[in-house]
Amino acid sequence: MRTLIGRKFHFSYSVSGVTRLLHRMGFSVQVPARPAAERDEDAITAWREATRREVKPLGRRPARSSASRTKRV
């Protein structure tokens, strides 16, 4: 939705901004009440193992860092 708004109206919103905007307009997140009857767990597992790494590569490896905001002396 964020990309669609940007392309259509040449205006940039953050993801949280789009969420708030759509909520104010009466839209909500649509979540199914139960899983689809046609869902094939074996096919989903096979896809994850075979295809997922091609579609979504692993992210950057985490660098060593500190959670502290203060600088060490």
Side-chain angles (χ1 to χ4, degrees):
M1 287 305 298
R2 177 180 181 236
T3 305
L4 178 67
I5 290 170
R7 288 180 183 167
K8 181 79 174 171
F9 301 105
H10 306 287
F11 193 83
S12 177
Y13 271 110
S14 65
V15 174
S16 62
V18 170
T19 302
R20 280 185 259 139
L21 177 69
L22 292 174
H23 184 71
R24 272 187 259 143
M25 294 173 64
F27 292 97
S28 64
V29 177
Q30 300 297 307
V31 179
R34 60 188 178 280
E38 300 86 8
R39 185 176 172 101
D40 184 1
E41 293 297 331
D42 295 331
I44 293 169
T45 304
W47 177 84
R48 283 185 181 148
E49 292 173 357
T51 313
R52 179 150 180 164
R53 293 198 192 274
E54 296 172 17
V55 175
K56 184 175 181 182
L58 295 174
R60 294 186 326 175
R61 296 185 73 169
R64 294 187 68 175
S65 62
S66 172
S68 174
R69 290 186 169 197
T70 60
K71 293 183 181 180
R72 291 188 172 188
V73 179

